[in-house]
């Protein structure tokens, strides 16, 4: 049992609840006062400590073939006062943990809970004089390839003021460049990507002339281009019924204000799109001339179809600022391949404002994505106001330091000691959520709220425990009404996020009372918004082995219900949850574990389709296609479960682009480059796997194909503390997901001949990346959308006495320097091979002059 759990368990009536700010966080602790510092004899302020972190090396031994990492924290005292020999603690987060015990510098490393750790001075620590530095060497239990595993959010707390945490703001991670730092041993981990590697990869596409670049993305079902152009002599005159008022407003917004007077007709209507049964189908016709059919005509099977036709029209328009304002003559008939085309945003691990949500709803609509999976609750944050349970947001939505239990959640993912930190603290009020629902509905996007349970529930567990203690101290007989944890539980478990106190307990009737109350309130919010609710995503992922096994409450429940194992208790829990949703006419959905049953095969853990729920209509998001589970999605679909494909190795946007240490993101699943989701074949994603990898794996049956609802790009936000990082990780990869979710299988995906498939792939990939580089991303730039998408580094290859340059997005502007300076928007353009000598540095630039990552090669 960790110390936080012990203290929390012993807490009585003296628990103090934080006072919430409107939709935000609790009041911050009082800063360290001068009088308090004087009473400690004059000590160094944590704010004047400098901290540097360095990866010393990755180490491998016969006993640890997968390796570990030796690292060093260096503390420098930049204060005029001494850091004393005792009476202080240094806290920090480390995503995947550190080795506990005595460490260099006469300190001790301890886990608090989850990813929060602390360093404490030991008896022989001498203190740190002004100007003095201290090296603290310690170990991480795994090798470090991505900097996401490094410490983050350090802060200092003095024993004399245990409620006050002082952030160490002068904190930096030192570069990882030396061979011993980059050593992957014999693990098979991917090496760093060099500029030459990038060049060779970029050679898989050809630069296309503007006339050969695809006109529309995602690729339409049928597109026939005519020979003429419709001149935009003025703003088109929109003709639409009152039922299409929103679409008419969208239509008017597409055209520049510089167009004066009345232009050609733009007719919008709902009607039958010939040959297409999807409610999202549309037809679009652009005709030049002055006859009855001249102008632009969009017909949708529904208003959503009309809206998608307008997004296609946006693609056909000239880029903002173009000299000629015309639209090519085309006839398009289009419909999506999948009815589910989703994007998941996690706002729990790090909070993001409703304005950020609006931005991504706009982008989803632009690229014809229609399901917004809203990950609202987690171990590290509960982000939705629930009437009747204020603690869920006054405690569960606030992270920051406190020595007292029940005040707020502990810091996580670098949110630090201050409960006003915008990533750690925040939630959506009921009014905010209703506004988000209506904003999404106006763009034909369904919001699917997610309530994580029974694991990943620490925010709710702690909030409801604090509620219990408060009400019990006040003599309230219903204090335990919503309690989620069994105080007598001695189960031994640890989640992937290192928690052992984060699980909702199904042995308590109060747990079901809590779930029912929250479900009822979410239903009310949708009803008040006037926005239909079809399902609530009820979590279900990563319940750690060992949970519930030593809980007297769970054991008693199992006895009453004649359940043999905790796997049966899981089924019992979701039977009851399903009943709560069905009461409101909703179907149950969740992660794949909702549809799977844990068992063993040859002594190894294995997930199999759970026969108990195949007739319940559950929808399962399948993320696990890691080694051994590559075919899990297909097995679930073949067994009768409706599924959404969200494979971690293909569509997790929180995965880093590559293995280079400076690239943000995580890598526990894989690396996801732009071509990774593009190359995904939904109905045969083992097509290009090795024969050995396919052995024993199930393919997707014709019956199973009918159970695949669609695809989802997923962004968990452990490493995402600001909106710009969302832009970087999601765009332009989201465009590849949108293409794969909307368009039919390209020819290369179904071609059995490998040589022909490769040629077809080159043609299709060239079209896609040229469209991104020459049309799609430039339009985002020129529309001033504020999307700071990742601009990849150029590829560089030394070829004799010259340097060859290319880019994954052919046609993007490239600029270079040879004097060691960083390229800017005024640097020389790359027009061919670079023959100069020097430290050659090259970067790509968007249409607003924003630079991307720099590639370099030394030819001095």
């Amino acid at each position: 049992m960790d110390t936080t759990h012990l203290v929390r368990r012993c807490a009585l009536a003296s628990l103090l609840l934080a006072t919430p700010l409107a939709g935000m966080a609790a009041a911050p602790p009082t800063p360290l006062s001068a009088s308090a510092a004087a009473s400690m004899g004059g000590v160094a302020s944590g704010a004047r400590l400098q901290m540097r972190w360095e990866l010393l090396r990755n180490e491998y031994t016969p006993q640890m073939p997968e390796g570990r990492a030796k690292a060093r924290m260096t503390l420098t005292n930049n204060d005029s006062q001494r850091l004393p020999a005792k009476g202080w603690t240094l806290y920090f987060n480390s995503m995947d943990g550190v080795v506990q015990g005595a460490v260099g510098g006469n300190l001790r490393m301890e886990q608090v809970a989850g990813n929060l750790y602390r360093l404490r001075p030991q008896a022989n620590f001498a203190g740190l004089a002004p100007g003095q530095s201290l090296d603290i060497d310690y170990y991480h239990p795994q090798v470090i390839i991505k900097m996401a595993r490094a410490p983050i959010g350090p802060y200092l707390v003095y024993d004399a003021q245990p409620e006050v945490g002082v952030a160490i703001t002068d904190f930096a991670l030192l570069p990882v460049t030396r061979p011993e730092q980059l050593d992957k041993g014999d693990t098979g981990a991917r090496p760093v990507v060099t500029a030459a590697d990038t060049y060779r990869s970029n050679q898989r596409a050809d630069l296309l002339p503007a006339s050969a670049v695809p006109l529309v993305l995602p690729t339409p079902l049928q597109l026939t281009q005519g020979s003429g152009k419709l001149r935009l002599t003025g703003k088109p005159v929109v003709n639409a019924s009152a039922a299409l008022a929103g679409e008419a407003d969208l239509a008017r917004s597409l055209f520049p204000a510089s167009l004066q007077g009345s232009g050609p007709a733009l007719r919008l209507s709902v009607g039958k799109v010939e040959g297409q049964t999807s409610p999202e189908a549309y037809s679009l016709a652009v005709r030049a001339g002055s006859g009855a059919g001249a102008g632009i005509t969009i017909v949708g099977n529904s208003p959503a179809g009309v809206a998608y036709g307008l997004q296609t029209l946006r693609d056909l328009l000239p880029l903002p600022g173009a000299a000629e304002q015309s639209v090519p003559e085309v006839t398009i008939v289009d419909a999506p391949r999948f009815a589910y085309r989703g994007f998941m945003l996690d706002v729990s691990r790090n909070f993001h404002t409703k304005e950020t949500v609006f931005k991504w709803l706009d982008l989803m609509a632009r690229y014809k994505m229609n399901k917004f999976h809203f990950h609202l609750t987690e171990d590290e944050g509960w982000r939705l106001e629930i009437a009747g349970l204020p603690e869920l947001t006054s405690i569960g939505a606030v992270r920051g330091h406190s020595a007292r239990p029940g005040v707020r959640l502990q810091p996580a993912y670098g949110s630090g000691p201050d409960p006003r930190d915008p990533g750690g603290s925040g939630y959506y009020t009921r009014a905010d959520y209703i506004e988000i629902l209506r904003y999404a509905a106006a763009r034909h996007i369904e919001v699917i709220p997610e309530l994580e349970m029974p694991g990943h529930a620490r925010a709710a567990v702690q909030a409801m425990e604090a509620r219990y203690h408060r009400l019990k101290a006040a003599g309230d007989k219903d204090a335990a009404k919503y309690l989620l944890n069994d105080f007598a539980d001695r189960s031994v478990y640890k989640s992937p996020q290192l928690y052992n106190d984060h699980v909702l307990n199904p042995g308590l009737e109060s747990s079901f009372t809590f779930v029912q109350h929250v479900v009822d309130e979410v239903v009310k919010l949708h009803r008040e918004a006037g926005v239909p609710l079809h399902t609530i995503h009820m979590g279900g992922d990563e319940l750690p082995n060992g949970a519930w096994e030593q809980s007297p409450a769970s054991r008693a429940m199992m006895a009453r219900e004649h359940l043999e194992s905790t796997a049966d208790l899981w089924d019992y829990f979701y039977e009851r949850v399903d009943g709560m949703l069905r009461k409101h006419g909703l179907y149950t959905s969740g992660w794949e574990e909702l549809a799977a049953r844990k068992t063993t095969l040859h002594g190894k853990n294995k997930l199999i389709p759970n026969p108990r729920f195949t007739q319940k209509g559950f929808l399962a998001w399948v993320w696990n296609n890691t080694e051994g589970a590559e075919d899990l999605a297909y097995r679930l679909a073949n067994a009768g479960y409706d599924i959404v494909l969200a494979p971690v190795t293909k569509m997790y946007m929180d995965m880093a682009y590559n293995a280079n240490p400076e690239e943000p993101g995580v890598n526990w699943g894989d690396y996801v480059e732009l071509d990774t989701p593009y190359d995904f074949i939904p109905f045969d994603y083992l097509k290009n796997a090795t024969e050995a990898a396919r052995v024993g794996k199930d393919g997707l049956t014709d019956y199973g194909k009918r159970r695949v609802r669609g695809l989802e790009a997923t962004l968990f936000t452990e490493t995402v503390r600001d909106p710009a990082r969302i832009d970087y990780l999601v765009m332009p990869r989201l465009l590849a997901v949108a293409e794969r979710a909307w368009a039919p299988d390209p020819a290369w995906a179904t071609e059995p001949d490998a040589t022909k498939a490769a040629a077809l792939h080159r043609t299709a990939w060239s079209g896609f990346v040229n469209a991104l580089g020459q049309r799609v991303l430039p339009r985002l730039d020129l529309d001033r959308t504020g999307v700071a998408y990742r601009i990849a580094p150029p590829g560089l290859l030394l070829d004799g006495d010259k340097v060859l340059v290319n880019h994954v997005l052919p046609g993007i502007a490239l600029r270079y320097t040879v004097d060691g300076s960083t390229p800017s928007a005024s640097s020389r353009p790359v027009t061919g091979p670079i023959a100069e000598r020097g430290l050659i540095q090259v970067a790509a630039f968007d249409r607003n002059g924003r630079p991307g990552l720099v590639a370099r090669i030394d030819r001095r």
Side-chain angles (χ1 to χ4, degrees):
M1 185 189 310
D2 66 53
T3 54
T4 296
H5 196 60
L6 179 63
V7 171
R8 183 163 47 79
R9 208 175 259 178
C10 297
L12 296 173
S14 61
L15 294 175
L16 298 177
L17 300 181
T19 301
L21 304 177
M24 186 50 193
T30 305
L32 187 66
S33 66
S35 59
S39 70
M40 289 185 283
V43 298
S45 165
R48 295 181 183 175
L49 282 178
Q50 180 193 82
M51 183 171 169
R52 296 291 181 263
W53 180 87
E54 181 182 11
L55 172 62
L56 295 178
R57 61 180 175 272
N58 286 321
E59 298 181 347
Y60 307 88
T61 66
Q63 296 76 27
M64 300 181 64
E66 295 300 313
R68 64 178 182 175
K70 186 173 185 179
R72 172 176 293 166
M73 296 177 187
T74 300
L75 287 178
T76 301
N77 185 357
N78 290 329
D79 205 321
S80 59
Q81 302 293 329
R82 184 180 189 84
L83 181 67
K86 60 182 180 179
W88 57 268
T89 304
L90 191 153
Y91 294 85
F92 62 91
N93 296 119
S94 180
M95 189 183 301
D96 294 314
V98 300
V99 176
Q100 299 180 69
V103 297
N106 295 321
L107 302 170
R108 185 170 184 83
M109 186 79 75
E110 299 171 342
Q111 183 184 23
V112 179
N115 64 32
L116 183 63
Y117 287 80
R118 64 189 175 202
L119 278 168
R120 286 178 160 175
Q122 297 302 285
N124 51 358
F125 179 67
L128 195 62
Q132 187 177 5
S133 294
L134 172 68
D135 290 335
I136 307 165
D137 292 355
Y138 70 100
Y139 283 94
H140 289 255
Q142 308 97 0
V143 298
I144 290 181
I145 296 173
K146 304 305 298 179
M147 302 297 271
R149 282 182 168 163
I152 190 171
Y155 65 96
L156 197 69
V157 175
Y158 290 103
D159 293 0
Q161 282 202 321
E163 287 296 313
V164 179
V166 183
I168 299 175
T169 56
D170 188 356
F171 170 63
L173 308 180
L174 300 183
V176 174
T177 57
R178 302 191 305 270
E180 66 272 21
Q181 296 173 311
L182 299 170
D183 185 10
K184 310 292 174 62
D186 296 325
T187 62
R190 297 192 203 178
V192 297
V193 177
T194 67
D197 295 332
T198 301
Y199 184 89
R200 296 185 187 98
S201 177
N202 293 345
Q203 284 184 301
R204 293 177 301 149
D206 301 306
L207 174 62
L208 302 180
S211 60
V213 175
L215 293 175
V216 177
L217 281 180
T219 302
L221 199 59
Q222 303 167 23
L223 186 154
T224 304
Q225 188 167 355
S227 58
K229 293 181 179 180
L230 175 67
R231 304 284 179 182
L232 299 178
T233 54
K235 273 200 172 185
V237 179
V238 179
N239 186 323
S241 68
L244 294 175
E247 286 66 40
D249 288 342
L250 171 62
R252 296 183 187 99
S253 74
L254 298 180
F255 300 96
S258 58
L259 286 175
Q260 300 295 315
S262 298
L266 172 51
R267 296 172 288 271
L268 309 178
S269 64
V270 172
K272 175 62 180 172
V273 178
E274 196 65 33
Q276 301 302 321
T277 58
S278 167
E280 297 176 301
Y282 69 91
S283 64
L284 184 154
V286 179
R287 297 287 180 269
S290 56
I296 304 167
T297 303
I298 297 175
V299 178
N301 274 351
S302 70
V306 174
Y308 295 139
L310 287 167
Q311 297 296 353
T312 293
L313 176 60
R314 186 202 299 272
D315 270 2
L316 296 171
L317 294 173
L319 290 177
E324 181 182 330
Q325 294 292 315
S326 62
V327 187
E329 284 193 311
V330 293
T331 300
I332 295 174
V333 176
D334 200 7
R337 178 183 188 182
F338 291 114
Y340 189 106
R341 306 177 302 282
F343 171 57
M344 190 211 84
L345 178 62
D346 165 22
V347 294
S348 300
R349 288 176 174 87
N350 276 303
F351 183 69
H352 296 278
T353 65
K354 68 180 179 182
E355 289 74 22
T356 295
V357 173
F358 294 157
K359 171 181 173 177
W360 285 96
L361 291 171
D362 284 337
L363 287 167
M364 288 177 66
R366 185 181 279 238
Y367 302 114
K368 305 184 177 78
M369 303 187 80
N370 66 346
K371 308 291 183 183
F372 180 58
H373 177 176
F374 207 4
H375 190 90
L376 288 164
T377 74
E378 256 301 342
D379 291 322
E380 298 86 11
W382 182 285
R383 306 304 188 180
L384 178 62
E385 180 184 17
I386 298 295
L389 295 177
E391 293 86 358
L392 282 174
T393 46
S394 67
I395 294 173
V398 183
R399 293 205 304 254
H401 177 76
S402 179
R404 293 170 291 143
V407 175
R408 58 182 69 93
L409 301 182
Q410 68 185 36
Y413 305 118
S415 57
D418 190 342
R420 295 171 301 185
D421 177 82
S425 300
Y427 65 94
Y428 306 105
T429 65
R430 289 170 52 85
D432 290 337
Y433 186 69
I434 288 169
E435 189 177 357
I436 289 169
L437 292 178
R438 290 172 176 167
Y439 196 92
R443 287 149 182 80
H444 306 286
I445 295 171
E446 177 186 357
V447 175
I448 300 174
E450 179 177 357
L451 308 173
E452 268 282 21
M453 61 185 70
H456 288 279
R458 193 172 193 257
V461 169
Q462 293 208 337
M464 292 301 95
E465 184 177 333
R467 178 186 186 276
Y468 163 80
H469 287 303
R470 177 176 63 84
L471 295 179
K472 187 172 184 295
D476 192 320
K477 60 182 177 56
D478 289 329
K481 182 178 181 179
Y482 298 109
L483 191 65
L484 302 179
N485 54 322
D486 175 6
F487 293 143
D489 190 355
R490 297 295 184 269
S491 300
V492 178
Y493 64 87
K494 182 168 286 190
S495 76
Q497 293 75 33
L498 309 178
Y499 293 110
N500 59 8
D501 59 354
H502 75 308
V503 173
L504 182 153
N505 193 309
L508 300 172
E509 192 60 31
S510 52
S511 291
F512 297 101
T513 304
F514 171 84
V515 176
Q516 183 70 74
H517 180 86
V518 173
V519 167
D520 292 347
E521 290 303 316
V522 171
V523 170
K524 288 178 185 177
L525 285 168
H526 282 254
R527 187 179 300 127
E528 185 175 343
V531 174
L533 178 65
H534 305 293
T535 188
I536 300 175
H537 190 296
M538 302 303 292
D541 64 317
E542 294 188 327
L543 179 72
N545 291 329
W548 306 334
E549 290 181 356
Q550 301 302 320
S551 163
S554 286
R555 284 178 172 270
M557 179 71 79
M558 291 169 63
R560 286 195 302 272
E561 300 295 329
H562 308 291
L563 307 176
E564 294 182 0
S565 68
T566 53
D568 296 317
L569 185 57
W570 168 278
D571 289 353
Y572 171 81
F573 174 76
Y574 273 109
E575 283 274 13
R576 291 192 61 176
V577 169
D578 181 56
M580 297 175 195
L581 295 174
R582 286 177 179 272
K583 185 182 76 172
H584 292 291
L586 310 178
Y587 64 87
T588 299
S589 59
W591 296 108
E592 68 202 30
E593 290 93 332
L594 223 66
R597 183 168 176 102
K598 287 182 179 181
T599 185
T600 58
L601 178 64
H602 305 310
K604 295 183 178 180
N605 291 331
K606 186 174 180 64
L607 290 174
I608 63 171
N610 190 337
R612 184 161 179 170
F613 297 135
T614 53
Q615 303 304 312
K616 288 281 192 178
F618 283 12
L619 175 63
W621 279 251
V622 187
W623 64 266
N624 188 1
N625 69 325
T626 58
E627 186 176 357
E630 296 93 339
D631 63 342
L632 177 60
Y634 293 168
R635 288 190 282 118
L636 291 175
N638 292 343
Y641 283 104
D642 286 346
I643 64 169
V644 172
L645 296 172
V648 61
T649 70
K650 306 294 182 181
M651 297 197 178
Y652 265 40
M653 304 286 102
D654 48 308
M655 296 296 133
Y657 283 86
N658 58 47
N660 293 6
E662 68 276 9
E663 276 287 353
V666 296
N667 69 336
W668 63 265
D670 205 345
Y671 301 105
V672 176
E673 276 282 8
L674 177 61
D675 61 352
T676 308
Y678 180 86
D679 288 347
F680 180 63
I681 305 173
F683 289 166
D684 189 10
Y685 60 68
L686 288 174
K687 178 178 187 289
N688 297 316
T690 64
E691 283 300 317
R694 294 176 69 93
V695 170
K697 299 297 187 298
D698 285 2
L700 192 61
T701 65
D702 288 342
Y703 172 75
K705 287 179 183 178
R706 297 198 297 270
R707 316 306 298 192
V708 179
R709 295 268 200 98
L711 313 181
E712 179 168 283
T714 305
L715 181 68
F716 289 102
T717 56
E718 291 95 332
T719 66
V720 184
R721 285 185 43 77
D722 63 78
R725 180 59 59 84
I726 302 179
D727 295 1
Y728 185 96
L729 289 173
V730 176
M731 291 291 282
R733 293 187 290 193
L734 187 68
L735 301 174
V737 178
E739 170 72 6
R740 206 47 65 233
W742 180 277
D745 263 341
W748 57 263
T750 55
E751 171 57 55
D753 182 272
T755 302
K756 292 180 181 178
L760 290 168
H761 184 279
R762 184 180 187 90
T763 299
W765 175 245
S766 295
F768 177 74
V769 292
N770 275 270
L772 263 57
Q774 298 190 48
R775 297 180 62 86
V776 177
L777 296 175
R779 189 179 301 279
L780 277 181
D781 299 333
L782 298 171
D783 281 350
R784 303 291 178 178
T785 58
V787 180
Y789 55 84
R790 178 183 186 258
I791 305 176
L796 304 179
L797 184 68
L798 184 60
D799 181 26
D801 61 353
K802 59 185 181 296
V803 175
L804 306 180
V805 186
N806 64 12
H807 198 270
V808 68
L809 303 176
I812 196 169
L814 299 170
R815 297 182 178 276
Y816 75 103
T817 60
V818 297
D819 60 0
S821 62
T822 301
S824 69
S826 60
S827 298
R828 285 178 288 179
V830 175
T831 57
I834 298 172
E836 293 101 318
R837 304 192 72 85
L839 177 58
I840 297 170
Q841 299 193 96
V842 190
F845 291 79
D846 74 5
R847 293 298 180 95
N848 296 320
R850 180 175 64 91
L853 300 173
V854 176
R856 54 185 56 84
I857 190 168
D858 197 341
R859 292 193 64 232
R860 286 176 287 193

